[in-house]
Amino acid sequence: MEFSALLTSAGINIAVCVLFLSLYSVLRKQPHNFSVYFGRRLAEEKFQRQDDYFSFERLLPTAGWIVKAYWCTEEEIRQVAGLDSVVFLRLFIFSIRIFSITSLVCIFVVLPVNYHGKEMTHNHIPADSLNVFTIVNIIEESRKLWVHCSALYVITISACILLYHEYKYISRKRLAHVTGSPPNPGHFTVLARSIPRSDNELLDDTIRNFFVNYHGSSYLSHQMIFLKGYFQKFVDRAERAYRKFVRVRLSISERNGRSNMSRCGVCGVRASSFQLYRNKFIEAKKADLTNPEVVEAQKNCPGALVFFKTRYAAVVASRVLQSSNPMLWVTDLAPEPRDVYWSNLWIPYRQIWLRKLATLAASVVFMFVFIIPVAFVQSMMQVEQLKRMFPSLRGILNKSFFARVITGYLPSVTLLLSLYTVPPLMMLFSSIEGSISRSGRKRSACLKILFFNIWNVFFVNVLSGSVLNQLNVFSRPKDMPTMLAELVPKQATFFITYVLTSGWASLCSEILQVYNLVYNFFSRFICCCHQNTEYVYSFPYHTEVPKILLFNLLGFTFSIMAPLILPFLLVYFCLGYLILNVYYPKYEMGGKLWPIMHNTIVFSLVLTQVIAIGVFTIKHSPVAGGFTILLLVGTVLFNEYCRHRFTRIFDAYSAQDVIELDRDDEQSGRMQEIHQHLLDAYSQTPPGEGSSRGGSQVPIELIMEDPAQEASESSQELCDTVQEVSEAHDHDHIVEDKAHSV
Amino acid sequence: MEFSALLTSAGINIAVCVLFLSLYSVLRKQPHNFSVYFGRRLAEEKFQRQDDYFSFERLLPTAGWIVKAYWCTEEEIRQVAGLDSVVFLRLFIFSIRIFSITSLVCIFVVLPVNYHGKEMTHNHIPADSLNVFTIVNIIEESRKLWVHCSALYVITISACILLYHEYKYISRKRLAHVTGSPPNPGHFTVLARSIPRSDNELLDDTIRNFFVNYHGSSYLSHQMIFLKGYFQKFVDRAERAYRKFVRVRLSISERNGRSNMSRCGVCGVRASSFQLYRNKFIEAKKADLTNPEVVEAQKNCPGALVFFKTRYAAVVASRVLQSSNPMLWVTDLAPEPRDVYWSNLWIPYRQIWLRKLATLAASVVFMFVFIIPVAFVQSMMQVEQLKRMFPSLRGILNKSFFARVITGYLPSVTLLLSLYTVPPLMMLFSSIEGSISRSGRKRSACLKILFFNIWNVFFVNVLSGSVLNQLNVFSRPKDMPTMLAELVPKQATFFITYVLTSGWASLCSEILQVYNLVYNFFSRFICCCHQNTEYVYSFPYHTEVPKILLFNLLGFTFSIMAPLILPFLLVYFCLGYLILNVYYPKYEMGGKLWPIMHNTIVFSLVLTQVIAIGVFTIKHSPVAGGFTILLLVGTVLFNEYCRHRFTRIFDAYSAQDVIELDRDDEQSGRMQEIHQHLLDAYSQTPPGEGSSRGGSQVPIELIMEDPAQEASESSQELCDTVQEVSEAHDHDHIVEDKAHSV
């Protein structure tokens, strides 16, 4: 590829980006699109209540939103979009910082060295091949390789310093988030699974007896989790009975009285009201304990949510081995209510290790099987091969138009479509894995997609050749550095165009939310349906984080090999920082994505160093290679240090923090109130996976808010309960409230 | 090698074994050797008080001890020699069981199949080459390979069943041991390290304030650990003062009044007495807190032992993250007093991860560097090569006697001597690693030696060729199965002789304890020294367990390849069961070696299967290979299941168990007593590594025994204290008692 061709490609992509961004800045001002962009950006919140008048200004693209996005403080973002958004932004900030340094070093020092690596006459730059900018242009045993080695040192050391500071900063943010946020029922609750059955005791009594016996001073109550089949009959009966009375349908206009944050997503009623109502059902059922059906239902309970009086007691119960059989009485801190992944709660604990192994194996197999569509796509590009494979198509293929479509257009569509299957499939794997929380599932999917991306985008493209060639990397690990060193610089142009198309253009199409826009248009103007305007776009961390980390990987690995990619990446990160900054969260991961990000970036650094060692080996510069090995050891030690210093902060709550929180609540007298709400917090039935229902989005702060008004609004309550109960049809499992204060 | 040659070799080794065992049965009856064999076997305990009369019977070899060893029940062994001895015996029992099954299957089914694998005329058996008994004799694509595949299934499945039952059995034993043994100070104590320094507060106060604040209801007191340098001055002064008064030397004969179990190893005085005395020192020092020297000493405290009122509280404190900085206030359950590895307690916690990485790297490097002496030994065997290397030796080498010594004898001596450096070196690595307990250090050394053995005995010998050849296994993991499959059967004869010499003969020489015998002889009859008769031989689990596991590995890998090795192994395991059965423990590992044993045996099974896959690939039997892959997956799943089901039992105490224990003690009123002794339990200064001093062998049960007599025997107390204090010179670090009841 020539330098001029690269400039052309960049020009086209810049035009596309400008077009998309202008479109966005116009579309977001149209009132009927508020629902699409609503909830996405803090800066847009004030558009929410804007009137529907028409003005010419609405049709002009403006850049005000960029300024607003830029001036959002992190604290504002955290309050609206949660800690995860902050962590996500910090990833961008880290990327911008490190690639500014890297660009400075590589563009102004390494690039000229590469360019003058061989004694050759250069024409004017645009006519040169891009290879003159890469390390390939350096002759063997050149002293100039020391420049690359030093540049690697500068990049690695500044990356480590920045990473350390980010880790420290985010740890502090996380601690502040844990201690600063309103009481979270998840902190008081432990999920106990694998409860041993007893023949002469109800499971309910078994649970109570166990926790009263061993955690008597701190045990508050518990809630059993039931499989759908058993509780469903009861719900069905209740539903039939109440459907006769209520036919109230709430109009959307009535709901916007309060800020969205303190309202339940579906119907605007306070969550506590229908919980209270549900408790009446439960009371009725409690008398039924002599009923053999109920006894049978109890026997099929996969676990229970156990509530404790203090956070510390819950932490202790979750950390300590409960029974001398580690497969019984397994306790984990429960996720917060909106984060619970209900349909996985019923999975017997003894299956989980098997599920984890199976999904791991399936993901690995899928990762390797995915080489097949790639190879198929490569084979589709040759008309002759196609003719041989499908003789019946010979007639069509002879027409030049069809041939061009089939060989030119279909391959990339096939590849793109098969790539689109990855996130849902990985999400499915992560669901099967048995995570009890949505955030855990998303984190697991994020990791899987990350591995997939690094393997199928980076390695498969670098080692592009036969499938066998790719597998050889694993069968001959010793030769990997030199093999990568030979192949990586060759792919520089491919990855530059990849950054332009998959980075810039897809980022700008992302902001338009084409899918939601079209969906909204259809539902609003064609189906005339107003129900779905509450749709809140939940940010897909599991697809975006791996993408950004992949670009980081590309940036590091190409930094000293082919520095031309760096400015394009830097632009991508800056765009990303402005575009992807604020989303309302469905649930909070508590910044747990950062350790994944940190480890991936360190992996990228190590990979860069391994490739550099390979380059120095090929170029016969063993001393530079030796220094790089030193750097590699240093990087690994740095990572180990960070792991010891920070990782546990993201895994566990410290005694000091939770005890202080408990004391604060006790001294301020809030504890009683928290306990009261705790028993209701998990009693709501969850909506299904479909994000068009917001029932699980009840901000948990609300449950703690105003307990005094609980008894009012009885007619609306009725309506909500029915809605609620009928929704239960769609869900797999239902939590049944069985609260017993000690 | 011919079959007859093998029989000759076996005959010689049997003769050596019989000789050694007869010698042992005579030597053990000689009264002056009681000290050598004393404490080794339960069956010998009654010889302890036998009179010194001479009888002819004393010179006759008898087999009664074998019968006695055989009839020891496990409960007897556990009471005398601790749980580790039981676990060690169970390893033998498992080995005997599985290799009985394997021998049956392989000798009566696989061996004839191998023997008739090729259509060939067999002479009478003794003249055949041993190769006809191995899988090499089977022709390619033979249907007979199904016999091997089925045999592998039988062996793997029975091994898994036996392993599962052993794991279950040992878990139950461990739980019974934890709940059944007398109160252990380690269960009430937490070692807190990495305590943050404060400028305006004494460290002592910092510790107390922290634990009173966050664990107020269960905190009992604490003890700070000091570096030698600071406390030493004080000890020196005390020593000078008391040396004037006491010159009492206890005669050995006075000490045998009570059973050895309830007596302190060195001097027979109850441990509590001198601890009480030491407390008086401490009281004196407490007033000194205003002294800047003491303040300075406090600043250099690397940690503290924190005592809790209940076991449960200690477990909780050790499991929960204490501070929001995971590198501060690091808490672990303390080892029991005799198990504490004092000189490692002063290591700052923040170094430990670095030390672990460094020793890991050093062990791996040593493992590979050890190939050099092996290669050197191999080169020494060729006279011509030697002449080229050392031209000055040419004169000597021409004499046939010297040449024979140098080429025939020196190589094996060199190898043996270099092998003797391994256990101490690995032990040194494990000390540097920073383990806080002796048992942890031994376990870590055991693991290191295990890896070393498997690599340097099994792999290096199987892949015997150039060093490069051996490293290729790692650089081409894909080819490993076929490479091993080709090489393993060829080494069958070598490993059979290895079992005979390194197994049988060294086991029988082990029982003689030649080193101790000679040492005892010299010290008794030449130096006339009576001090060392108290020497208790601590069993070197870290060298014996890897050896037995290596023989297990050999048994499994050769089972279907070359079944001839199996009977020799079976004899080894039976001998080992009788010979190595009872030792007095210095400290208890609580059966924690079993998970290592289990994992190694599963690794052996997997390795066997991998080699079998290689064999089936070479012999072009893909279906059998496929079935073996299934078996391999099954074995890995089995191991995962066991890991989930049992491993945590060996890591942690369950809430249920410790709470029950606490309740028992509280109800029986023993708790007060336990608390009283807890404060003293860790106050004794430890003896150095040298096992000739028994100060650290005070059985901890004793501390709990009779508190009433503490104040008596003041003169002996003085003497003990001085002995104790003077011993402190040899040790690096000293624990200073600073007990504050809450």
Side-chain angles (χ1 to χ4, degrees), chain B residues 337 340-343 438 683-688 695-696 724 727-728 730-735:
Chain B
V340 175
Y341 189 49
W342 295 99
S343 55
R438 287 160 187 278
S683 62
Q684 65 200 93
T685 54
S696 66
E724 164 69 0
E727 266 173 29
D730 307 328
H731 320 320
D732 292 325
H733 310 91
I734 290 160
V735 165

Side-chain angles (χ1 to χ4, degrees), chain A residues 175 210 212-215 312 315-327 329 349-350 353-354 357 468 471-472 474-478 636-638 640-641 644-649 652-657 659-660 663, chain B residues 175 210 212-215 312 315-327 329 349-350 353-354 357 468 471-472 474-478 636-638 640-641 644-649 652-657 659-660 663:
Chain A
L175 291 173
F210 182 86
V212 167
N213 196 6
Y214 297 113
H215 303 272
Y312 179 63
V315 167
V316 166
S318 72
R319 299 284 305 166
V320 172
L321 184 67
Q322 295 299 324
S323 151
S324 51
N325 179 347
M327 297 284 268
W329 293 107
Y349 177 76
R350 60 182 181 279
W353 66 274
L354 205 59
L357 274 185
L468 269 179
L471 291 176
N472 268 343
F474 289 97
S475 60
R476 280 184 290 137
K478 209 175 61 177
V636 171
L637 286 181
F638 164 77
E640 273 298 293
Y641 173 73
H644 282 86
R645 171 69 183 79
F646 298 112
T647 310
R648 278 192 82 186
I649 299 176
Y653 302 115
S654 76
Q656 214 172 4
D657 292 334
I659 290 175
E660 295 293 347
R663 281 191 192 149
Chain B
L175 291 173
F210 183 86
V212 167
N213 196 5
Y214 297 114
H215 302 272
Y312 180 63
V315 167
V316 165
S318 71
R319 298 284 305 166
V320 171
L321 184 67
Q322 296 298 324
S323 150
S324 52
N325 179 346
M327 298 283 268
W329 294 107
Y349 176 75
R350 60 182 182 280
W353 66 274
L354 206 57
L357 274 185
L468 270 177
L471 292 176
N472 268 344
F474 288 98
S475 60
R476 279 185 289 138
K478 210 175 59 177
V636 170
L637 287 181
F638 164 77
E640 273 298 292
Y641 174 73
H644 282 86
R645 172 68 182 79
F646 298 113
T647 311
R648 279 192 82 186
I649 298 176
Y653 301 115
S654 76
Q656 215 173 1
D657 292 333
I659 291 176
E660 294 294 347
R663 281 192 192 147

Side-chain angles (χ1 to χ4, degrees), chain A residues 115-271:
Chain A
Y115 193 66
H116 298 290
K118 274 188 188 132
E119 287 298 327
M120 58 186 281
T121 50
H122 288 286
N123 310 325
H124 62 292
I125 288 178
D128 270 334
S129 157
L130 282 181
N131 267 348
V132 301
F133 300 104
T134 68
I135 206 164
V136 175
N137 205 38
I138 303 274
I139 52 169
E140 284 181 9
E141 292 180 58
S142 169
R143 283 181 162 273
K144 288 175 182 169
L145 286 172
W146 279 104
V147 175
H148 296 84
C149 189
S150 325
L152 199 59
Y153 262 80
V154 171
I155 294 166
T156 308
I157 290 169
S158 31
C160 287
I161 292 171
L162 285 174
L163 273 178
Y164 180 78
H165 281 288
E166 287 300 326
Y167 221 146
K168 203 169 177 183
Y169 182 84
I170 290 167
S171 303
R172 222 180 306 127
K173 283 266 164 194
R174 180 179 153 85
L175 291 173
H177 179 78
V178 170
T179 53
S181 50
N184 178 344
H187 291 176
F188 291 87
T189 313
V190 159
L191 178 69
R193 282 182 291 179
S194 198
I195 299 157
R197 306 273 176 273
S198 159
D199 280 340
N200 44 21
E201 200 180 31
L202 276 182
L203 197 62
D204 195 46
D205 296 330
T206 310
I207 298 170
R208 191 171 47 253
N209 289 346
F210 182 86
F211 284 97
V212 167
N213 196 6
Y214 297 113
H215 303 272
S217 59
S218 53
Y219 167 76
L220 189 66
S221 75
H222 70 269
Q223 243 183 27
M224 284 166 69
I225 302 158
F226 284 109
L227 277 171
K228 181 187 173 189
Y230 298 92
F231 191 58
Q232 191 61 53
K233 289 171 197 164
F234 167 75
V235 172
D236 287 352
R237 274 201 302 274
E239 194 193 352
R240 273 197 302 278
Y242 279 88
R243 195 174 284 161
K244 294 174 192 168
F245 299 106
V246 222
R247 300 240 177 253
V248 188
R249 203 176 173 86
L250 295 170
S251 69
I252 304 140
S253 56
E254 284 174 20
R255 290 178 214 159
N256 285 334
R258 292 182 65 179
S259 121
N260 201 70
M261 278 308 287
S262 56
R263 280 277 165 186
C264 160
V266 176
C267 46
V269 79
R270 277 173 298 102

Side-chain angles (χ1 to χ4, degrees), chain A residues 1-18:
Chain A
M1 204 189 207
E2 307 257 308
F3 191 75
S4 53
L6 182 68
L7 287 182
T8 319
S9 168
I12 294 169
N13 276 289
I14 289 168
V16 169
C17 287
V18 170

Side-chain angles (χ1 to χ4, degrees), chain A residues 590-651:
Chain A
K592 284 188 182 178
L593 282 179
W594 181 256
I596 295 176
M597 297 173 183
H598 175 92
N599 290 335
T600 313
I601 292 167
V602 171
F603 168 77
S604 310
L605 287 173
V606 168
L607 184 68
T608 309
Q609 289 154 6
V610 167
I611 296 174
I613 292 169
V615 169
F616 295 139
T617 312
I618 291 176
K619 302 278 181 192
H620 301 291
S621 181
V623 188
F627 272 91
T628 314
I629 289 174
L630 263 186
L631 190 63
L632 196 144
V633 171
T635 314
V636 171
L637 286 181
F638 164 77
N639 192 40
E640 273 298 293
Y641 173 73
C642 285
R643 204 167 62 81
H644 282 86
R645 171 69 183 79
F646 298 112
T647 310
R648 278 192 82 186
I649 299 176
F650 291 82
D651 283 346

